[in-house]
């Protein structure tokens, strides 16, 4: 009962207030059918963060060069693109990009191909693709230093197990990784159940020598961390306790406020709730008005040393919201009032002014936008 009262109290304390102008919206690209993911990376080694826009309804993977935002095709003939991640810098300071395509929610319809893109001297020209694996529903690609040797590996988090079927997608869901050079599939875990929608890479504890991984699945939110000579899996939350497939957690991120960290999540799968887990605290539902919540991140946008939460959702109001803790309650502010239906957002200083900006892409607007942060001059 105490937990329920706390949830209701915090949810009712959420307020949406008029905010001084914080964002100036810029459209980089339109016509991105099935716009699904935006990734920040310096692809031409000029010191400026570029953007990759992945669209599931298109067969070209395209990057946009900062600051002109000129488009360049990385690779073509990749149907049903779902995720990519740049990492493992070469001697020239240009990353390799691991990409997943031929995706479908149903494992029986998903080839789940995974490949590595290498540049050929000119990052603006098409890159060479090497296919390294195929596992049904390969879905989330990230890089993580799992060995603690400064040499990250590519992590592949499939959406479901290879024999899972909707609507409950029952069964164990694996988590794989690939070591650059060998690019052979290795298994990190098979403990999550049902849909495994989100992963987040972090150094969990001060002094950790290697990365840990947070997973969001029908099982809830779990931490995979190397300790005592082995990988351990710890339940942090069971997430939403409704019947599956509307159960557990969908996406998770880590932020900090007042020198203490917190978890923030979208719950359940493609859910309606924004939840916050203060360090050692209860599950707090700060907003339950989303429809098809799909992206969440935490970053310090106003320079006060504390993180805000950004959330995008693809149905209903199709908005991008920012949540700010004012010391008493979470205050919701609008970044995009419905022109995008964000499936993915990323935070980075895109114009080099020392302030964190925001880039988002979404299928509702079939667009890639960046939101210039002008908070330092307007607050």
């Amino acid at each position: 009962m105490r937990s329920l009262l706390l949830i209701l109290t915090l949810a009712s304390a959420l307020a949406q207030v008029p905010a001084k102008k914080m964002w100036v919206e810029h459209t980089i690209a339109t016509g991105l059918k099935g716009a699904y993911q935006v990734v920040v990376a310096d692809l031409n080694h000029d010191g400026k963060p570029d953007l990759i826009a992945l669209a599931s309804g298109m067969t070209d993977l395209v990057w946009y060069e900062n600051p002109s935002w000129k488009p360049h095709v990385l690779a073509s003939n990749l149907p049903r693109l779902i995720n990519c991640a740049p990492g493992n810098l070469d001697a020239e300071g240009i990353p390799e990009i691991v990409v997943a395509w031929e995706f479908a929610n149903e494992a029986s319809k998903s080839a789940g191909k995974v490949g590595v893109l290498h540049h050929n001297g000119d990052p603006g020209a098409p890159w060479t693709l090497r296919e390294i694996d195929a596992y049904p529903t390969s879905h989330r690609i990230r890089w993580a230093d799992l060995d603690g040797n400064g040499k990250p590996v590519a992590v592949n988090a499939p959406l479901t197990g290879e024999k899972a079927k909707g609507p409950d997608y029952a069964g164990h869901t694996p988590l794989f990784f690939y070591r650059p050079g060998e690019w052979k599939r290795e298994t990190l875990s098979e403990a999550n159940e049902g849909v495994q929608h989100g992963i987040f890479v972090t150094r969990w504890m001060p002094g950790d020598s290697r990365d840990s991984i947070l997973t969001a699945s029908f099982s809830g939110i779990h931490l995979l961390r190397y300790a005592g000579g082995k990988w351990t899996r710890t339940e942090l939350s069971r997430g939403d306790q409704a019947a599956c497939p509307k159960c557990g957690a969908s996406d998770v991120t880590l932020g900090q406020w007042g020198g203490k960290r917190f978890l923030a999540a979208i719950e359940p799968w493609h859910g309606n709730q924004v939840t916050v887990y203060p360090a050692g605290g209860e599950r707090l539902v700060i907003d339950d008005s989303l429809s098809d919540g799909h992206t969440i991140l935490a970053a310090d946008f106003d320079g006060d040393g504390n993180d805000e939460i950004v959330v995008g959702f693809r149905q209903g109001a199709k908005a991008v919201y920012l949540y700010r803790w004012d010391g008493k309650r979470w205050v919701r502010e609008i970044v995009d009032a419905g022109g995008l239906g964000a499936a993915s957002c990323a935070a980075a200083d895109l114009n080099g002014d020392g302030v964190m900006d925001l880039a988002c892409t979404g299928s509702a607007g079939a667009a890639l936008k960046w939101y210039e942060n002008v908070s330092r001059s307007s607050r």
Side-chain angles (χ1 to χ4, degrees), residues 175-240:
L175 191 64
F176 302 132
F177 67 93
Y178 313 92
R179 300 180 191 277
E182 299 176 356
W183 299 115
K184 294 180 180 180
R185 184 201 300 172
E186 300 183 51
T187 301
L188 183 61
S189 173
E190 294 181 298
N192 282 341
E193 295 279 347
V195 169
Q196 175 179 251
H197 189 263
I199 61 173
F200 184 83
V201 178
T202 182
R203 292 289 169 99
W204 181 249
M205 295 294 290
D208 278 358
S209 62
R210 64 183 79 201
D211 289 332
S212 298
I213 298 177
L214 294 167
T215 64
S217 71
F218 280 5
S219 301
I221 300 172
H222 288 79
L223 171 70
L224 287 169
R225 180 171 178 259
Y226 191 83
K230 62 181 181 179
W231 284 94
T232 61
R233 176 177 178 266
T234 303
E235 180 182 290
L236 302 181
S237 169
R238 297 180 65 191
D240 193 296

Side-chain angles (χ1 to χ4, degrees), residues 67-202:
S68 68
W69 304 118
K70 177 182 177 181
H72 303 277
V73 176
L74 285 159
S76 300
N77 302 315
L78 300 176
R80 304 198 308 277
L81 285 156
I82 192 65
N83 235 231
C84 70
N88 191 42
L89 296 180
D90 62 18
E92 297 174 284
I94 297 173
E96 294 173 303
I97 303 171
V98 178
V99 59
W101 73 100
E102 292 198 19
F103 170 82
N105 280 352
E106 292 289 333
S108 63
K109 301 176 182 179
S110 176
K113 293 183 177 180
V114 181
V116 184
L117 288 165
H118 305 264
H119 74 93
N120 295 301
D122 177 7
W127 295 31
T128 298
L129 175 66
R130 173 188 173 187
E131 188 174 330
I132 61 170
D133 199 6
Y135 184 90
T137 76
S138 292
H139 182 251
R140 290 286 179 263
I141 307 294
R142 301 290 186 268
W143 288 83
D145 183 1
L146 299 184
D147 296 322
N149 60 5
K151 298 178 180 179
V153 301
V155 178
N156 173 14
L159 185 74
T160 71
E162 60 183 333
K163 296 182 180 179
K165 296 179 181 180
D168 58 357
Y169 301 99
H172 294 288
T173 306
L175 191 64
F176 302 132
F177 67 93
Y178 313 92
R179 300 180 191 277
E182 299 176 356
W183 299 115
K184 294 180 180 180
R185 184 201 300 172
E186 300 183 51
T187 301
L188 183 61
S189 173
E190 294 181 298
N192 282 341
E193 295 279 347
V195 169
Q196 175 179 251
H197 189 263
I199 61 173
F200 184 83
V201 178
T202 182

